[in-house]
mmCIF file of all heavy atoms in Angstrom:
data_model
loop_
_atom_site.group_PDB
_atom_site.id
_atom_site.type_symbol
_atom_site.label_atom_id
_atom_site.label_comp_id
_atom_site.label_asym_id
_atom_site.label_seq_id
_atom_site.Cartn_x
_atom_site.Cartn_y
_atom_site.Cartn_z
ATOM 1 N N MET R 1 -10.331 23.245 5.204
ATOM 2 C CA MET R 1 -9.896 22.016 5.848
ATOM 3 C C MET R 1 -10.622 20.830 5.210
ATOM 4 O O MET R 1 -11.806 20.902 4.918
ATOM 5 C CB MET R 1 -10.191 22.096 7.341
ATOM 6 C CG MET R 1 -9.769 20.891 8.108
ATOM 7 S SD MET R 1 -10.074 21.158 9.869
ATOM 8 C CE MET R 1 -9.441 19.647 10.465
ATOM 9 N N THR R 2 -9.917 19.749 5.008
ATOM 10 C CA THR R 2 -10.526 18.557 4.419
ATOM 11 C C THR R 2 -10.912 17.584 5.519
ATOM 12 O O THR R 2 -10.317 17.571 6.597
ATOM 13 C CB THR R 2 -9.554 17.863 3.443
ATOM 14 O OG1 THR R 2 -8.397 17.479 4.154
ATOM 15 C CG2 THR R 2 -9.195 18.791 2.302
ATOM 16 N N SER R 3 -11.897 16.758 5.236
ATOM 17 C CA SER R 3 -12.314 15.759 6.217
ATOM 18 C C SER R 3 -11.519 14.480 6.026
ATOM 19 O O SER R 3 -11.101 14.163 4.923
ATOM 20 C CB SER R 3 -13.813 15.482 6.082
ATOM 21 O OG SER R 3 -14.082 14.961 4.811
ATOM 22 N N PRO R 4 -11.291 13.732 7.112
ATOM 23 C CA PRO R 4 -10.536 12.479 6.999
ATOM 24 C C PRO R 4 -11.294 11.446 6.164
ATOM 25 O O PRO R 4 -12.518 11.399 6.184
ATOM 26 C CB PRO R 4 -10.381 12.008 8.444
ATOM 27 C CG PRO R 4 -11.334 12.798 9.253
ATOM 28 C CD PRO R 4 -11.717 14.018 8.464
ATOM 29 N N THR R 5 -10.555 10.644 5.417
ATOM 30 C CA THR R 5 -11.176 9.638 4.555
ATOM 31 C C THR R 5 -11.327 8.295 5.250
ATOM 32 O O THR R 5 -12.045 7.440 4.761
ATOM 33 C CB THR R 5 -10.340 9.429 3.278
ATOM 34 O OG1 THR R 5 -9.063 8.916 3.655
ATOM 35 C CG2 THR R 5 -10.195 10.716 2.502
ATOM 36 N N GLY R 6 -10.595 8.078 6.335
ATOM 37 C CA GLY R 6 -10.639 6.796 7.010
ATOM 38 C C GLY R 6 -9.730 5.765 6.375
ATOM 39 O O GLY R 6 -9.681 4.631 6.811
ATOM 40 N N GLU R 7 -9.004 6.160 5.324
ATOM 41 C CA GLU R 7 -8.098 5.235 4.659
ATOM 42 C C GLU R 7 -6.771 5.215 5.408
ATOM 43 O O GLU R 7 -6.203 6.255 5.716
ATOM 44 C CB GLU R 7 -7.860 5.662 3.214
ATOM 45 C CG GLU R 7 -9.108 5.598 2.383
ATOM 46 C CD GLU R 7 -8.911 6.133 0.983
ATOM 47 O OE1 GLU R 7 -7.844 6.702 0.693
ATOM 48 O OE2 GLU R 7 -9.829 5.989 0.178
ATOM 49 N N VAL R 8 -6.294 4.007 5.711
ATOM 50 C CA VAL R 8 -5.033 3.849 6.426
ATOM 51 C C VAL R 8 -4.071 3.068 5.544
ATOM 52 O O VAL R 8 -4.396 1.987 5.055
ATOM 53 C CB VAL R 8 -5.233 3.102 7.768
ATOM 54 C CG1 VAL R 8 -3.914 2.873 8.466
ATOM 55 C CG2 VAL R 8 -6.186 3.882 8.666
ATOM 56 N N TYR R 9 -2.902 3.643 5.337
ATOM 57 C CA TYR R 9 -1.842 2.996 4.578
ATOM 58 C C TYR R 9 -0.707 2.704 5.555
ATOM 59 O O TYR R 9 -0.320 3.581 6.315
ATOM 60 C CB TYR R 9 -1.317 3.918 3.471
ATOM 61 C CG TYR R 9 -2.363 4.347 2.479
ATOM 62 C CD1 TYR R 9 -3.116 5.488 2.689
ATOM 63 C CD2 TYR R 9 -2.585 3.613 1.332
ATOM 64 C CE1 TYR R 9 -4.071 5.889 1.766
ATOM 65 C CE2 TYR R 9 -3.542 4.009 0.401
ATOM 66 C CZ TYR R 9 -4.279 5.146 0.630
ATOM 67 O OH TYR R 9 -5.214 5.541 -0.286
ATOM 68 N N ARG R 10 -0.182 1.475 5.520
ATOM 69 C CA ARG R 10 0.914 1.119 6.416
ATOM 70 C C ARG R 10 2.086 0.619 5.585
ATOM 71 O O ARG R 10 1.921 -0.227 4.713
ATOM 72 C CB ARG R 10 0.477 0.035 7.384
ATOM 73 C CG ARG R 10 -0.505 0.517 8.416
ATOM 74 C CD ARG R 10 -0.778 -0.581 9.455
ATOM 75 N NE ARG R 10 -1.578 -0.064 10.533
ATOM 76 C CZ ARG R 10 -2.904 -0.034 10.544
ATOM 77 N NH1 ARG R 10 -3.565 -0.512 9.512
ATOM 78 N NH2 ARG R 10 -3.575 0.457 11.555
ATOM 79 N N ILE R 11 3.257 1.140 5.911
ATOM 80 C CA ILE R 11 4.481 0.655 5.289
ATOM 81 C C ILE R 11 5.453 0.328 6.407
ATOM 82 O O ILE R 11 5.720 1.162 7.281
ATOM 83 C CB ILE R 11 5.096 1.694 4.337
ATOM 84 C CG1 ILE R 11 4.127 1.990 3.189
ATOM 85 C CG2 ILE R 11 6.437 1.194 3.798
ATOM 86 C CD1 ILE R 11 4.613 3.045 2.239
ATOM 87 N N ALA R 12 5.955 -0.880 6.395
ATOM 88 C CA ALA R 12 6.913 -1.330 7.409
ATOM 89 C C ALA R 12 8.203 -1.734 6.721
ATOM 90 O O ALA R 12 8.187 -2.371 5.670
ATOM 91 C CB ALA R 12 6.343 -2.509 8.191
ATOM 92 N N TRP R 13 9.302 -1.359 7.315
ATOM 93 C CA TRP R 13 10.616 -1.768 6.833
ATOM 94 C C TRP R 13 10.914 -3.123 7.454
ATOM 95 O O TRP R 13 10.721 -3.327 8.657
ATOM 96 C CB TRP R 13 11.649 -0.728 7.244
ATOM 97 C CG TRP R 13 13.056 -1.180 7.096
ATOM 98 C CD1 TRP R 13 13.714 -1.485 5.951
ATOM 99 C CD2 TRP R 13 14.000 -1.383 8.148
ATOM 100 N NE1 TRP R 13 15.002 -1.863 6.210
ATOM 101 C CE2 TRP R 13 15.206 -1.804 7.568
ATOM 102 C CE3 TRP R 13 13.932 -1.247 9.530
ATOM 103 C CZ2 TRP R 13 16.339 -2.094 8.315
ATOM 104 C CZ3 TRP R 13 15.062 -1.534 10.278
ATOM 105 C CH2 TRP R 13 16.247 -1.948 9.665
ATOM 106 N N LEU R 14 11.350 -4.073 6.653
ATOM 107 C CA LEU R 14 11.704 -5.392 7.165
ATOM 108 C C LEU R 14 13.156 -5.349 7.606
ATOM 109 O O LEU R 14 14.066 -5.260 6.768
ATOM 110 C CB LEU R 14 11.476 -6.460 6.091
ATOM 111 C CG LEU R 14 10.031 -6.551 5.566
ATOM 112 C CD1 LEU R 14 9.921 -7.601 4.479
ATOM 113 C CD2 LEU R 14 9.069 -6.843 6.696
ATOM 114 N N PRO R 15 13.416 -5.343 8.924
ATOM 115 C CA PRO R 15 14.772 -5.198 9.451
ATOM 116 C C PRO R 15 15.757 -6.190 8.833
ATOM 117 O O PRO R 15 15.423 -7.344 8.584
ATOM 118 C CB PRO R 15 14.600 -5.459 10.950
ATOM 119 C CG PRO R 15 13.181 -5.106 11.229
ATOM 120 C CD PRO R 15 12.439 -5.508 9.990
ATOM 121 N N GLY R 16 16.949 -5.706 8.577
ATOM 122 C CA GLY R 16 17.989 -6.536 8.003
ATOM 123 C C GLY R 16 17.914 -6.647 6.489
ATOM 124 O O GLY R 16 18.678 -7.396 5.886
ATOM 125 N N THR R 17 16.966 -5.945 5.881
ATOM 126 C CA THR R 17 16.799 -5.989 4.427
ATOM 127 C C THR R 17 16.596 -4.565 3.910
ATOM 128 O O THR R 17 16.504 -3.618 4.684
ATOM 129 C CB THR R 17 15.561 -6.815 4.019
ATOM 130 O OG1 THR R 17 14.371 -6.098 4.362
ATOM 131 C CG2 THR R 17 15.532 -8.177 4.689
ATOM 132 N N ASP R 18 16.488 -4.438 2.615
ATOM 133 C CA ASP R 18 16.116 -3.173 1.983
ATOM 134 C C ASP R 18 14.662 -3.223 1.520
ATOM 135 O O ASP R 18 14.245 -2.444 0.675
ATOM 136 C CB ASP R 18 17.014 -2.893 0.768
ATOM 137 C CG ASP R 18 18.439 -2.579 1.169
ATOM 138 O OD1 ASP R 18 18.644 -2.099 2.294
ATOM 139 O OD2 ASP R 18 19.350 -2.812 0.358
ATOM 140 N N VAL R 19 13.889 -4.145 2.078
ATOM 141 C CA VAL R 19 12.531 -4.404 1.618
ATOM 142 C C VAL R 19 11.515 -3.666 2.487
ATOM 143 O O VAL R 19 11.608 -3.655 3.709
ATOM 144 C CB VAL R 19 12.237 -5.924 1.635
ATOM 145 C CG1 VAL R 19 10.807 -6.219 1.237
ATOM 146 C CG2 VAL R 19 13.207 -6.657 0.718
ATOM 147 N N LEU R 20 10.541 -3.054 1.818
ATOM 148 C CA LEU R 20 9.408 -2.422 2.478
ATOM 149 C C LEU R 20 8.187 -3.305 2.260
ATOM 150 O O LEU R 20 7.990 -3.857 1.177
ATOM 151 C CB LEU R 20 9.139 -1.040 1.880
ATOM 152 C CG LEU R 20 10.280 -0.047 1.995
ATOM 153 C CD1 LEU R 20 9.982 1.182 1.151
ATOM 154 C CD2 LEU R 20 10.509 0.339 3.440
ATOM 155 N N HIS R 21 7.357 -3.439 3.288
ATOM 156 C CA HIS R 21 6.126 -4.220 3.189
ATOM 157 C C HIS R 21 4.970 -3.266 3.432
ATOM 158 O O HIS R 21 4.872 -2.648 4.487
ATOM 159 C CB HIS R 21 6.100 -5.352 4.224
ATOM 160 C CG HIS R 21 4.835 -6.143 4.177
ATOM 161 N ND1 HIS R 21 4.654 -7.170 3.289
ATOM 162 C CD2 HIS R 21 3.691 -6.042 4.872
ATOM 163 C CE1 HIS R 21 3.453 -7.678 3.451
ATOM 164 N NE2 HIS R 21 2.839 -7.001 4.408
ATOM 165 N N GLY R 22 4.111 -3.131 2.419
ATOM 166 C CA GLY R 22 2.986 -2.210 2.523
ATOM 167 C C GLY R 22 1.665 -2.934 2.626
ATOM 168 O O GLY R 22 1.465 -3.965 2.005
ATOM 169 N N THR R 23 0.781 -2.363 3.444
ATOM 170 C CA THR R 23 -0.581 -2.856 3.557
ATOM 171 C C THR R 23 -1.510 -1.691 3.259
ATOM 172 O O THR R 23 -1.472 -0.668 3.942
ATOM 173 C CB THR R 23 -0.868 -3.405 4.969
ATOM 174 O OG1 THR R 23 0.106 -4.399 5.289
ATOM 175 C CG2 THR R 23 -2.261 -4.002 5.054
ATOM 176 N N CYS R 24 -2.318 -1.846 2.243
ATOM 177 C CA CYS R 24 -3.238 -0.809 1.803
ATOM 178 C C CYS R 24 -4.499 -0.815 2.671
ATOM 179 O O CYS R 24 -4.816 -1.815 3.314
ATOM 180 C CB CYS R 24 -3.601 -1.057 0.345
ATOM 181 S SG CYS R 24 -4.662 0.221 -0.352
ATOM 182 N N HIS R 25 -5.241 0.269 2.632
ATOM 183 C CA HIS R 25 -6.499 0.348 3.385
ATOM 184 C C HIS R 25 -7.498 -0.705 2.940
ATOM 185 O O HIS R 25 -8.383 -1.094 3.700
ATOM 186 C CB HIS R 25 -7.121 1.746 3.260
ATOM 187 C CG HIS R 25 -7.552 2.099 1.885
ATOM 188 N ND1 HIS R 25 -8.800 1.810 1.399
ATOM 189 C CD2 HIS R 25 -6.893 2.698 0.866
ATOM 190 C CE1 HIS R 25 -8.893 2.232 0.159
ATOM 191 N NE2 HIS R 25 -7.746 2.775 -0.193
ATOM 192 N N CYS R 26 -7.341 -1.239 1.725
ATOM 193 C CA CYS R 26 -8.269 -2.257 1.231
ATOM 194 C C CYS R 26 -7.862 -3.665 1.653
ATOM 195 O O CYS R 26 -8.572 -4.616 1.393
ATOM 196 C CB CYS R 26 -8.373 -2.178 -0.289
ATOM 197 S SG CYS R 26 -6.920 -2.779 -1.167
ATOM 198 N N GLY R 27 -6.691 -3.799 2.296
ATOM 199 C CA GLY R 27 -6.230 -5.107 2.753
ATOM 200 C C GLY R 27 -5.199 -5.750 1.845
ATOM 201 O O GLY R 27 -4.585 -6.746 2.213
ATOM 202 N N ALA R 28 -4.994 -5.196 0.658
ATOM 203 C CA ALA R 28 -3.988 -5.747 -0.257
ATOM 204 C C ALA R 28 -2.593 -5.492 0.309
ATOM 205 O O ALA R 28 -2.366 -4.499 1.002
ATOM 206 C CB ALA R 28 -4.125 -5.107 -1.624
ATOM 207 N N GLU R 29 -1.658 -6.394 0.029
ATOM 208 C CA GLU R 29 -0.288 -6.272 0.505
ATOM 209 C C GLU R 29 0.683 -6.298 -0.668
ATOM 210 O O GLU R 29 0.396 -6.896 -1.699
ATOM 211 C CB GLU R 29 0.029 -7.393 1.487
ATOM 212 C CG GLU R 29 -0.821 -7.328 2.739
ATOM 213 C CD GLU R 29 -0.483 -8.429 3.723
ATOM 214 O OE1 GLU R 29 -0.001 -9.500 3.295
ATOM 215 O OE2 GLU R 29 -0.704 -8.220 4.921
ATOM 216 N N HIS R 30 1.842 -5.666 -0.459
ATOM 217 C CA HIS R 30 2.839 -5.546 -1.522
ATOM 218 C C HIS R 30 4.202 -5.340 -0.878
ATOM 219 O O HIS R 30 4.306 -4.750 0.194
ATOM 220 C CB HIS R 30 2.472 -4.341 -2.395
ATOM 221 C CG HIS R 30 3.367 -4.118 -3.564
ATOM 222 N ND1 HIS R 30 3.400 -4.961 -4.645
ATOM 223 C CD2 HIS R 30 4.256 -3.135 -3.823
ATOM 224 C CE1 HIS R 30 4.271 -4.495 -5.530
ATOM 225 N NE2 HIS R 30 4.803 -3.389 -5.049
ATOM 226 N N THR R 31 5.256 -5.833 -1.525
ATOM 227 C CA THR R 31 6.617 -5.566 -1.068
ATOM 228 C C THR R 31 7.395 -4.908 -2.196
ATOM 229 O O THR R 31 7.154 -5.177 -3.373
ATOM 230 C CB THR R 31 7.351 -6.851 -0.620
ATOM 231 O OG1 THR R 31 7.343 -7.782 -1.685
ATOM 232 C CG2 THR R 31 6.709 -7.461 0.608
ATOM 233 N N ALA R 32 8.322 -4.038 -1.807
ATOM 234 C CA ALA R 32 9.162 -3.343 -2.774
ATOM 235 C C ALA R 32 10.395 -2.807 -2.071
ATOM 236 O O ALA R 32 10.375 -2.577 -0.861
ATOM 237 C CB ALA R 32 8.397 -2.193 -3.425
ATOM 238 N N GLU R 33 11.472 -2.614 -2.818
ATOM 239 C CA GLU R 33 12.678 -2.005 -2.267
ATOM 240 C C GLU R 33 12.675 -0.499 -2.453
ATOM 241 O O GLU R 33 13.342 0.214 -1.720
ATOM 242 C CB GLU R 33 13.922 -2.619 -2.909
ATOM 243 C CG GLU R 33 14.156 -4.059 -2.482
ATOM 244 C CD GLU R 33 15.477 -4.615 -2.992
ATOM 245 O OE1 GLU R 33 16.327 -3.847 -3.452
ATOM 246 O OE2 GLU R 33 15.627 -5.839 -2.921
ATOM 247 N N ASP R 34 11.921 -0.017 -3.416
ATOM 248 C CA ASP R 34 11.889 1.412 -3.735
ATOM 249 C C ASP R 34 10.681 2.077 -3.069
ATOM 250 O O ASP R 34 9.539 1.720 -3.353
ATOM 251 C CB ASP R 34 11.809 1.568 -5.253
ATOM 252 C CG ASP R 34 11.757 3.009 -5.717
ATOM 253 O OD1 ASP R 34 12.044 3.918 -4.902
ATOM 254 O OD2 ASP R 34 11.445 3.236 -6.893
ATOM 255 N N PRO R 35 10.908 3.058 -2.176
ATOM 256 C CA PRO R 35 9.786 3.718 -1.507
ATOM 257 C C PRO R 35 8.834 4.418 -2.482
ATOM 258 O O PRO R 35 7.626 4.429 -2.260
ATOM 259 C CB PRO R 35 10.448 4.739 -0.577
ATOM 260 C CG PRO R 35 11.889 4.437 -0.561
ATOM 261 C CD PRO R 35 12.199 3.542 -1.708
ATOM 262 N N VAL R 36 9.358 4.978 -3.559
ATOM 263 C CA VAL R 36 8.505 5.650 -4.542
ATOM 264 C C VAL R 36 7.578 4.634 -5.207
ATOM 265 O O VAL R 36 6.377 4.872 -5.365
ATOM 266 C CB VAL R 36 9.346 6.414 -5.583
ATOM 267 C CG1 VAL R 36 8.469 6.958 -6.699
ATOM 268 C CG2 VAL R 36 10.144 7.522 -4.915
ATOM 269 N N ALA R 37 8.125 3.482 -5.574
ATOM 270 C CA ALA R 37 7.309 2.429 -6.185
ATOM 271 C C ALA R 37 6.230 1.956 -5.217
ATOM 272 O O ALA R 37 5.096 1.678 -5.628
ATOM 273 C CB ALA R 37 8.187 1.263 -6.619
ATOM 274 N N MET R 38 6.569 1.878 -3.931
ATOM 275 C CA MET R 38 5.588 1.450 -2.932
ATOM 276 C C MET R 38 4.421 2.434 -2.868
ATOM 277 O O MET R 38 3.259 2.043 -2.915
ATOM 278 C CB MET R 38 6.244 1.327 -1.561
ATOM 279 C CG MET R 38 5.282 0.954 -0.447
ATOM 280 S SD MET R 38 4.488 -0.657 -0.639
ATOM 281 C CE MET R 38 5.845 -1.714 -0.205
ATOM 282 N N TRP R 39 4.722 3.735 -2.800
ATOM 283 C CA TRP R 39 3.647 4.736 -2.721
ATOM 284 C C TRP R 39 2.847 4.794 -4.004
ATOM 285 O O TRP R 39 1.627 4.962 -3.974
ATOM 286 C CB TRP R 39 4.198 6.106 -2.351
ATOM 287 C CG TRP R 39 4.398 6.203 -0.873
ATOM 288 C CD1 TRP R 39 5.592 6.231 -0.213
ATOM 289 C CD2 TRP R 39 3.387 6.247 0.128
ATOM 290 N NE1 TRP R 39 5.376 6.282 1.136
ATOM 291 C CE2 TRP R 39 4.031 6.294 1.376
ATOM 292 C CE3 TRP R 39 1.999 6.243 0.100
ATOM 293 C CZ2 TRP R 39 3.329 6.348 2.578
ATOM 294 C CZ3 TRP R 39 1.295 6.289 1.295
ATOM 295 C CH2 TRP R 39 1.965 6.343 2.510
ATOM 296 N N GLU R 40 3.485 4.627 -5.141
ATOM 297 C CA GLU R 40 2.748 4.597 -6.408
ATOM 298 C C GLU R 40 1.767 3.437 -6.429
ATOM 299 O O GLU R 40 0.635 3.571 -6.886
ATOM 300 C CB GLU R 40 3.707 4.522 -7.592
ATOM 301 C CG GLU R 40 4.421 5.823 -7.850
ATOM 302 C CD GLU R 40 5.462 5.723 -8.953
ATOM 303 O OE1 GLU R 40 5.812 4.594 -9.380
ATOM 304 O OE2 GLU R 40 5.936 6.790 -9.387
ATOM 305 N N TRP R 41 2.197 2.284 -5.916
ATOM 306 C CA TRP R 41 1.318 1.116 -5.850
ATOM 307 C C TRP R 41 0.146 1.400 -4.914
ATOM 308 O O TRP R 41 -1.012 1.149 -5.240
ATOM 309 C CB TRP R 41 2.093 -0.114 -5.374
ATOM 310 C CG TRP R 41 1.214 -1.307 -5.173
ATOM 311 C CD1 TRP R 41 0.785 -2.185 -6.130
ATOM 312 C CD2 TRP R 41 0.630 -1.738 -3.944
ATOM 313 N NE1 TRP R 41 -0.021 -3.134 -5.569
ATOM 314 C CE2 TRP R 41 -0.127 -2.885 -4.216
ATOM 315 C CE3 TRP R 41 0.688 -1.281 -2.636
ATOM 316 C CZ2 TRP R 41 -0.826 -3.574 -3.234
ATOM 317 C CZ3 TRP R 41 -0.015 -1.963 -1.657
ATOM 318 C CH2 TRP R 41 -0.759 -3.092 -1.971
ATOM 319 N N MET R 42 0.447 1.943 -3.736
ATOM 320 C CA MET R 42 -0.606 2.194 -2.749
ATOM 321 C C MET R 42 -1.641 3.202 -3.240
ATOM 322 O O MET R 42 -2.830 3.042 -3.001
ATOM 323 C CB MET R 42 -0.006 2.699 -1.440
ATOM 324 C CG MET R 42 0.651 1.636 -0.653
ATOM 325 S SD MET R 42 0.430 1.989 1.070
ATOM 326 C CE MET R 42 1.050 0.500 1.770
ATOM 327 N N LEU R 43 -1.185 4.242 -3.892
ATOM 328 C CA LEU R 43 -2.087 5.308 -4.304
ATOM 329 C C LEU R 43 -2.672 5.089 -5.694
ATOM 330 O O LEU R 43 -3.469 5.895 -6.160
ATOM 331 C CB LEU R 43 -1.349 6.650 -4.239
ATOM 332 C CG LEU R 43 -0.848 7.026 -2.845
ATOM 333 C CD1 LEU R 43 -0.004 8.289 -2.905
ATOM 334 C CD2 LEU R 43 -1.988 7.173 -1.860
ATOM 335 N N GLY R 44 -2.305 3.982 -6.351
ATOM 336 C CA GLY R 44 -2.719 3.737 -7.724
ATOM 337 C C GLY R 44 -3.995 2.956 -7.891
ATOM 338 O O GLY R 44 -4.150 2.238 -8.874
ATOM 339 N N HIS R 45 -4.935 3.077 -6.991
ATOM 340 C CA HIS R 45 -6.188 2.334 -7.121
ATOM 341 C C HIS R 45 -6.897 2.676 -8.417
ATOM 342 O O HIS R 45 -6.945 3.843 -8.785
ATOM 343 C CB HIS R 45 -7.132 2.664 -5.961
ATOM 344 C CG HIS R 45 -6.805 1.936 -4.706
ATOM 345 N ND1 HIS R 45 -7.171 0.648 -4.488
ATOM 346 C CD2 HIS R 45 -6.120 2.308 -3.618
ATOM 347 C CE1 HIS R 45 -6.738 0.274 -3.313
ATOM 348 N NE2 HIS R 45 -6.085 1.268 -2.761
ATOM 349 N N PRO R 46 -7.480 1.701 -9.063
ATOM 350 C CA PRO R 46 -7.463 0.270 -8.740
ATOM 351 C C PRO R 46 -6.335 -0.481 -9.429
ATOM 352 O O PRO R 46 -6.311 -1.696 -9.409
ATOM 353 C CB PRO R 46 -8.821 -0.215 -9.237
ATOM 354 C CG PRO R 46 -9.066 0.624 -10.455
ATOM 355 C CD PRO R 46 -8.440 1.985 -10.122
ATOM 356 N N GLU R 47 -5.399 0.229 -10.073
ATOM 357 C CA GLU R 47 -4.300 -0.465 -10.750
ATOM 358 C C GLU R 47 -3.439 -1.210 -9.753
ATOM 359 O O GLU R 47 -3.047 -0.651 -8.739
ATOM 360 C CB GLU R 47 -3.433 0.529 -11.515
ATOM 361 C CG GLU R 47 -4.125 1.180 -12.678
ATOM 362 C CD GLU R 47 -3.224 2.159 -13.390
ATOM 363 O OE1 GLU R 47 -1.999 1.982 -13.351
ATOM 364 O OE2 GLU R 47 -3.761 3.110 -13.968
ATOM 365 N N GLY R 48 -3.144 -2.475 -10.044
ATOM 366 C CA GLY R 48 -2.248 -3.255 -9.203
ATOM 367 C C GLY R 48 -2.932 -4.060 -8.123
ATOM 368 O O GLY R 48 -2.392 -5.033 -7.659
ATOM 369 N N HIS R 49 -4.100 -3.635 -7.696
ATOM 370 C CA HIS R 49 -4.834 -4.408 -6.704
ATOM 371 C C HIS R 49 -6.264 -3.917 -6.614
ATOM 372 O O HIS R 49 -6.593 -2.830 -7.048
ATOM 373 C CB HIS R 49 -4.153 -4.359 -5.338
ATOM 374 C CG HIS R 49 -4.061 -2.995 -4.732
ATOM 375 N ND1 HIS R 49 -3.169 -2.033 -5.165
ATOM 376 C CD2 HIS R 49 -4.732 -2.430 -3.720
ATOM 377 C CE1 HIS R 49 -3.302 -0.954 -4.425
ATOM 378 N NE2 HIS R 49 -4.247 -1.158 -3.548
ATOM 379 N N MET R 50 -7.105 -4.784 -6.062
ATOM 380 C CA MET R 50 -8.524 -4.461 -5.936
ATOM 381 C C MET R 50 -8.908 -4.496 -4.463
ATOM 382 O O MET R 50 -8.358 -5.275 -3.696
ATOM 383 C CB MET R 50 -9.376 -5.493 -6.689
ATOM 384 C CG MET R 50 -9.133 -5.517 -8.183
ATOM 385 S SD MET R 50 -9.655 -4.005 -9.017
ATOM 386 C CE MET R 50 -11.420 -4.169 -8.888
ATOM 387 N N PRO R 51 -9.872 -3.684 -4.048
ATOM 388 C CA PRO R 51 -10.349 -3.711 -2.672
ATOM 389 C C PRO R 51 -10.908 -5.086 -2.309
ATOM 390 O O PRO R 51 -11.401 -5.811 -3.162
ATOM 391 C CB PRO R 51 -11.451 -2.655 -2.634
ATOM 392 C CG PRO R 51 -11.140 -1.757 -3.794
ATOM 393 C CD PRO R 51 -10.507 -2.632 -4.824
ATOM 394 N N GLU R 52 -10.850 -5.425 -0.991
ATOM 395 C CA GLU R 52 -11.378 -6.691 -0.536
ATOM 396 C C GLU R 52 -12.844 -6.815 -0.927
ATOM 397 O O GLU R 52 -13.572 -5.837 -0.940
ATOM 398 C CB GLU R 52 -11.241 -6.808 0.982
ATOM 399 C CG GLU R 52 -9.824 -7.081 1.422
ATOM 400 C CD GLU R 52 -9.722 -7.271 2.915
ATOM 401 O OE1 GLU R 52 -10.744 -7.289 3.624
ATOM 402 O OE2 GLU R 52 -8.592 -7.398 3.387
ATOM 403 N N GLY R 53 -13.271 -8.026 -1.236
ATOM 404 C CA GLY R 53 -14.644 -8.263 -1.636
ATOM 405 C C GLY R 53 -14.867 -8.099 -3.125
ATOM 406 O O GLY R 53 -15.883 -8.522 -3.643
ATOM 407 N N ARG R 54 -13.911 -7.499 -3.830
ATOM 408 C CA ARG R 54 -14.044 -7.305 -5.275
ATOM 409 C C ARG R 54 -13.000 -8.108 -6.028
ATOM 410 O O ARG R 54 -12.877 -8.015 -7.223
ATOM 411 C CB ARG R 54 -13.905 -5.825 -5.619
ATOM 412 C CG ARG R 54 -15.039 -5.012 -5.043
ATOM 413 C CD ARG R 54 -14.932 -3.575 -5.390
ATOM 414 N NE ARG R 54 -14.999 -3.402 -6.836
ATOM 415 C CZ ARG R 54 -14.735 -2.274 -7.451
ATOM 416 N NH1 ARG R 54 -14.383 -1.206 -6.775
ATOM 417 N NH2 ARG R 54 -14.797 -2.193 -8.764
ATOM 418 N N ARG R 55 -12.217 -8.901 -5.288
ATOM 419 C CA ARG R 55 -11.195 -9.726 -5.946
ATOM 420 C C ARG R 55 -11.853 -10.928 -6.591
ATOM 421 O O ARG R 55 -12.828 -11.470 -6.094
ATOM 422 C CB ARG R 55 -10.174 -10.211 -4.909
ATOM 423 C CG ARG R 55 -9.373 -9.073 -4.339
ATOM 424 C CD ARG R 55 -8.392 -9.572 -3.315
ATOM 425 N NE ARG R 55 -7.781 -8.442 -2.673
ATOM 426 C CZ ARG R 55 -7.142 -8.470 -1.551
ATOM 427 N NH1 ARG R 55 -6.996 -9.602 -0.902
ATOM 428 N NH2 ARG R 55 -6.616 -7.402 -1.036
ATOM 429 N N SER R 56 -11.281 -11.372 -7.693
ATOM 430 C CA SER R 56 -11.863 -12.541 -8.362
ATOM 431 C C SER R 56 -10.894 -13.688 -8.341
ATOM 432 O O SER R 56 -9.792 -13.601 -7.971
ATOM 433 C CB SER R 56 -12.239 -12.202 -9.784
ATOM 434 O OG SER R 56 -11.260 -11.482 -10.449
#
C-alpha cells in the first residue's frame, strides 16, 4: 500500500463549453479542451508551470 502524497488536482468542466479548468496542487491554473492534454499538464511537473513560491 502506498501512502497519500497530499497532492490535490482539481479539474472542473465549464458548463456550456467544451473547456476544462484545472487547478494543480501547487496553485497553478490551466484551461484546455482535451482531457488528456489537461492531465499531461497537471502531471508534467515542472514542465509548463512551477510550484507557488518558485515563480519568477
